[in-house]
């Protein structure tokens, strides 16, 4: 399976992205990549960077090493340095799929700096590639991913443009099943609820929460149930109902660094700074290169000083 397909298969909904505590490495992963990933998991980012940079001394065009070095540097909040490696990966890509994966890494690098517009610029290249392959499911997920980044940066208007586009693209999937339609509709309601509470306009997030729950109650997408307490906790948090937010978020994915930050903020708002700092430490240790980590890692590290 080509690298781009491996990369996009790691995308859950960009609206609902979760991070596994120890992602399973592909069996064909080079030994040095496995070593670097283990060092990252152990919190030894400098050592992991050294592994990738050592590989680049003899193989300067290595896609895996350039992407790996850039990823580590983003996690270290050294974005300008990271993007030099992603630029090299884009320039030396062996085919369109590898180039699309490299552009996606560049997009996430800009997300680490809360730059919605640059994230969109590079995600658009990935989106165009998916559409050229008539892979509308992936195209929808990519559109949702850039929407998620924009929402996390506070650009709600741009975010909803891309969430709506993601919803439309996902529904264009050939031979789409009723369960898949429910999935895209759930994601759309989820996004609209979050946007409504962030925009603080006339739109009522409660109606979208109810619609999302009604879709889940059909039982066609049981794997999405875990994302409902994230939604209700998120809305409660932005409504400044921190007790409800904490109660709901503690039922969500405890390995997602974005959720860890929301839990930390809820504890902090309720006056429990010790528990808040515990969750910020967990979020700061994230090693994924995705929208959840892009939002959470810089925020948590700032909180930790």
């Amino acid at each position: 399976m080509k690298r781009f397909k491996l990369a996009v298969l790691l995308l859950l909904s960009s609206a609902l992205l979760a991070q596994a505590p120890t992602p399973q490495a592909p069996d064909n992963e080079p030994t040095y990549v496995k070593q670097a990933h283990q060092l990252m998991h152990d919190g030894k980012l400098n050592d992991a960077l050294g592994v990738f940079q050592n590989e680049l001394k003899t193989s300067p065009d290595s896609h895996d090493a350039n992407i790996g070095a850039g990823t580590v540097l983003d996690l270290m909040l050294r974005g300008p340095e990271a993007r030099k490696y992603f630029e090299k990966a884009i320039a030396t890509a062996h085919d369109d799929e590898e180039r699309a994966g490299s552009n996606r890494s560049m997009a996430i690098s800009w997300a680490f700096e809360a730059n919605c517009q640059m994230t969109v610029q590079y995600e658009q290249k990935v989106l165009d590639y998916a559409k050229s392959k008539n892979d509308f499911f992936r195209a929808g997920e990519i559109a949702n991913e850039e929407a998620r980044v924009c929402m996390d940066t506070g650009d709600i208007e741009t975010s909803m443009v891309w969430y709506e586009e993601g919803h439309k693209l996902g529904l264009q999937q050939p031979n789409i099943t009723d369960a898949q339609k429910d999935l895209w509709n759930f994601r759309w309601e989820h996004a609209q609820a979050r946007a409504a509470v962030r925009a603080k306009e006339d739109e009522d997030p409660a109606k979208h929460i109810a619609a999302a729950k009604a879709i889940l109650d059909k039982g066609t997408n049981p794997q999405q149930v875990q994302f409902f307490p994230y939604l209700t906790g998120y809305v409660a948090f932005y409504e400044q109902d921190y007790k409800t937010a904490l109660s709901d978020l503690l039922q969500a994915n405890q390995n997602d660094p974005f959720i860890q930050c929301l839990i930390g903020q809820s504890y902090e708002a309720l006056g429990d700074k010790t528990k808040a700092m515990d969750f910020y430490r967990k979020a700061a240790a994230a090693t994924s290169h995705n929208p959840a980590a892009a939002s959470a890692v810089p925020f948590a590290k700032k909180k930790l000083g």
Side-chain angles (χ1 to χ4, degrees):
M1 186 177 291
K2 294 185 178 180
R3 285 189 181 93
F4 174 65
K5 291 187 179 295
L6 283 171
V8 293
L9 283 171
L10 294 176
L11 303 180
L12 304 178
S13 164
S14 52
L16 313 170
L17 202 53
Q19 175 190 347
T22 51
Q24 196 70 31
D27 290 339
N28 62 346
E29 201 172 61
T31 300
Y32 77 90
V33 175
K34 292 180 181 178
Q35 178 189 0
H37 285 175
Q38 184 59 53
L39 289 167
M40 291 166 67
H41 179 66
D42 294 342
K44 299 176 181 178
L45 296 183
N46 275 313
D47 291 341
L49 178 61
V51 170
F52 287 124
Q53 290 178 328
N54 188 59
E55 177 68 18
L56 289 167
K57 289 177 183 177
T58 55
S59 303
D61 292 345
S62 167
H63 177 268
D64 291 329
N66 277 298
I67 293 296
T71 295
V72 175
L73 285 164
D74 272 336
L75 293 167
M76 298 170 76
L77 308 186
R78 292 161 59 181
E81 294 173 71
R83 287 188 287 280
K84 292 178 182 179
Y85 289 98
F86 296 136
E87 286 171 0
K88 186 65 176 288
I90 293 168
T92 59
H94 294 91
D95 53 38
D96 290 341
E97 291 192 349
E98 192 168 276
R99 187 171 296 106
S102 302
N103 276 310
R104 190 257 176 179
S105 293
M106 180 69 88
I108 297 301
S109 183
W110 283 110
F112 268 83
E113 296 194 358
N115 192 320
C116 163
Q117 295 306 318
M118 291 301 293
T119 298
V120 168
Q121 179 177 315
Y122 281 94
E123 289 277 29
Q124 188 62 47
K125 300 174 190 289
V126 192
L127 178 59
D128 289 343
Y129 176 74
K131 288 166 68 175
S132 76
K133 294 292 187 180
N134 292 320
D135 192 343
F136 291 104
F137 185 87
R138 271 191 198 110
E141 292 209 317
I142 294 160
N144 275 14
E145 181 166 76
E146 56 192 298
R148 161 73 184 268
V149 170
C150 291
M151 183 172 290
D152 289 347
T153 65
D155 189 342
I156 309 304
E157 183 177 355
T158 301
S159 173
M160 293 314 293
V161 168
W162 289 109
Y163 271 128
E164 184 172 13
E165 180 69 7
H167 181 241
K168 290 178 180 178
L169 286 168
L171 291 175
Q172 291 179 46
Q173 179 185 342
N175 303 313
I176 190 169
T177 66
D178 288 341
Q180 289 166 334
K181 290 177 184 177
D182 287 341
L183 173 62
W184 285 108
N185 289 332
F186 172 72
R187 291 172 169 178
W188 179 226
E189 294 296 343
H190 198 288
Q192 289 180 93
R194 288 181 289 120
V197 76
R198 292 290 299 276
K200 299 187 183 303
E201 295 177 350
D202 294 336
E203 190 78 8
D204 183 6
K207 74 175 186 179
H208 295 294
I209 291 174
K213 181 64 162 58
I215 295 168
L216 287 181
D217 286 346
K218 294 166 71 172
T220 53
N221 285 276
Q223 74 279 8
Q224 297 299 310
V225 172
Q226 63 176 309
F227 299 117
F228 190 71
Y230 160 47
L231 173 60
T232 57
Y234 184 105
V235 170
F237 176 82
Y238 279 100
E239 289 178 337
Q240 299 183 341
D241 181 358
Y242 299 115
K243 286 185 178 180
T244 298
L246 184 59
S247 175
D248 290 356
L249 291 167
L250 286 171
Q251 299 176 58
N253 183 354
Q254 299 301 287
N255 294 313
D256 185 313
F258 184 83
I259 292 172
Q260 290 165 350
C261 280
L262 284 177
I263 292 173
Q265 289 172 274
S266 298
Y267 271 123
E268 194 169 7
L270 293 169
D272 193 335
K273 188 156 186 183
T274 299
K275 287 186 178 178
M277 297 303 281
D278 286 342
F279 278 90
Y280 294 146
R281 275 188 284 272
K282 292 178 183 179
T287 58
S288 291
H289 201 245
N290 60 28
S295 174
V297 171
F299 179 87
K301 287 189 174 182
K302 184 177 180 180
K303 282 287 188 180
L304 294 170

